[in-house]
Amino acid sequence: MSMALVGDVGGTNARFALWQSGELAAVEVFACADFASPEAAISAYLERQHVTISQLCLACAGPVQDGQVRLTNNHWHVAADSLRDTLKLQRAELINDFTAMALGMTRVTEDELLSVAEGQALAGQMRLVMGPGTGLGVAGLLPLPDGRWQVISGEGGHVNLPATSEREARVLAYLQSQQDYVNAETILSGGGLLRLYQACCAIDQRDCLLDSPAQVTAAALAGDDYADAVLEMWCCWLGRVMGNAAVTLGSRGGVYIAGGVVPRFAERFLVSGFHQAFCGKGSMSDYLTQMPIALVQAEWPGLLGAGVWLDQLS
């Protein structure tokens, strides 16, 4: 395959890299606010690298419809036709950022994965990828007989948040009093950790002394018992929701925890009740204990996935 550009475009930053022979090179991060359009940002990147490209794939934080994406919290309008014509390319592909994240799992190396639970991955079976980040991404990843991969995409982060204890029910009731619908990513996201802390403080009639997710995490890791209990509840809720998805998809090929949230407290996560909550499905518990679970610590999985998308088209 000739030289290609891959990108991971979010609301604030755009990450670009060169892709050739299944490898990333020259990763750079650009502030979207500094450029009037994605074409301008890509042109600046290519000028810095002194290269020309024949094709590109951008993973974008938003739904792709008719070859276009309008990004949330970003003035860019990304359109495949415009990219192809302006940059004089043979091919311009736009995919959802979590589709790219899922495909990136096919290129991460063992040293970029932290084992959360041992198990036996079955060849040819569905894999589950979930990523607590700005929201909660959920996808299935299915190996195909010809060696390619099929992403089973959806909006799994918007399922109902399940409560299985009196404490969780009280928190859920409080959240429901504040908003019409409480989905999983209400809690299982970066901002969700703060919402969970605030909900716990409200039902316990405590003052909220912390005012950011980073502060809740830092307090928990520093030994604050109350913040640690909130973080533990967050981990267990993630396990329960991931277990639901794993049962639904039949993810005997393995489970990946992606996204930027969990790596911030990886050691604490490993000793949390996450895995017990993941497997706590009654008669299906043994089925779930057989699934290996890994925490993804790769730096650029979205860029890798965009490259895999291009490779599969060639």
Side-chain angles (χ1 to χ4, degrees):
M1 190 181 78
S2 59
M3 183 76 71
L5 178 141
V6 292
D8 188 356
V9 181
T12 303
N13 295 317
R15 300 160 184 84
F16 299 129
L18 301 177
W19 179 261
Q20 191 172 38
S21 302
E23 298 288 341
L24 291 175
V27 178
E28 291 196 47
V29 181
F30 290 75
C32 297
D34 292 344
F35 298 89
S37 67
E39 290 85 355
I42 291 169
S43 295
Y45 171 81
L46 294 174
E47 287 176 10
R48 288 164 62 94
Q49 299 302 323
H50 305 291
V51 298
T52 58
I53 59 170
S54 60
Q55 52 188 330
L56 64 76
C57 179
L58 299 185
C60 301
V64 179
Q65 296 181 338
D66 300 322
Q68 301 184 59
V69 180
R70 290 197 178 274
L71 298 161
T72 304
N73 301 321
N74 187 327
H75 63 286
W76 284 4
H77 173 218
V78 189
D81 288 348
S82 176
L83 289 164
R84 186 177 60 249
D85 295 344
T86 303
L87 300 171
K88 297 179 172 56
L89 304 174
Q90 297 174 13
R91 170 180 285 151
E93 295 284 325
L94 303 182
I95 61 176
N96 176 262
D97 61 338
F98 208 77
T99 295
M101 177 72 79
L103 285 173
M105 299 304 99
T106 69
R107 290 294 192 275
V108 296
T109 59
E110 286 299 320
D111 62 350
E112 295 173 316
L113 298 173
L114 179 63
S115 177
V116 175
E118 298 295 333
Q120 183 61 50
L122 300 184
Q125 297 298 303
M126 180 75 74
R127 302 181 185 187
L128 169 65
V129 186
M130 291 188 71
T134 304
L136 178 63
V138 183
L141 184 63
L142 182 66
L144 301 177
D146 62 3
R148 296 180 301 126
W149 295 84
Q150 175 69 52
V151 176
I152 312 301
S153 59
E155 294 295 339
H158 294 274
V159 299
N160 295 73
L161 186 68
T164 61
S165 70
E166 181 181 354
R167 176 73 170 172
E168 289 178 353
R170 291 180 65 201
V171 170
L172 183 57
Y174 173 79
L175 292 169
Q176 288 172 331
S177 73
Q178 304 298 303
Q179 57 194 73
D180 292 336
Y181 177 68
V182 180
N183 59 21
E185 74 174 24
T186 299
I187 295 300
L188 302 176
S189 58
L193 181 58
L194 178 61
R195 282 189 286 273
L196 179 57
Y197 169 77
Q198 292 170 336
C200 289
C201 288
I203 65 175
D204 293 335
Q205 299 182 332
R206 291 173 57 108
D207 291 334
C208 287
L209 303 178
L210 309 172
D211 59 12
S212 73
Q215 287 187 12
V216 177
T217 301
L221 298 181
D224 182 303
D225 289 341
Y226 195 80
D228 186 68
V230 172
L231 189 61
E232 174 70 10
M233 178 179 284
W234 190 96
C235 293
C236 291
W237 238 323
L238 179 63
R240 200 160 293 119
V241 171
M242 288 193 72
N244 288 348
V247 167
T248 300
L249 289 177
S251 308
R252 295 299 306 277
V255 175
Y256 298 92
I257 305 169
V261 174
V262 179
R264 298 171 188 166
F265 48 88
E267 291 186 9
R268 175 64 181 86
F269 184 76
L270 292 178
V271 297
S272 73
F274 165 84
H275 192 236
Q276 182 177 357
F278 177 88
C279 296
K281 295 287 184 281
S283 63
M284 296 302 296
S285 295
D286 289 344
Y287 176 79
L288 287 158
T289 60
Q290 297 174 49
M291 297 180 184
I293 305 173
L295 173 61
V296 180
Q297 299 183 305
E299 192 170 12
W300 311 114
L303 293 175
L304 289 170
V308 173
W309 182 274
L310 285 176
D311 282 354
Q312 294 196 156
L313 293 175
S314 61

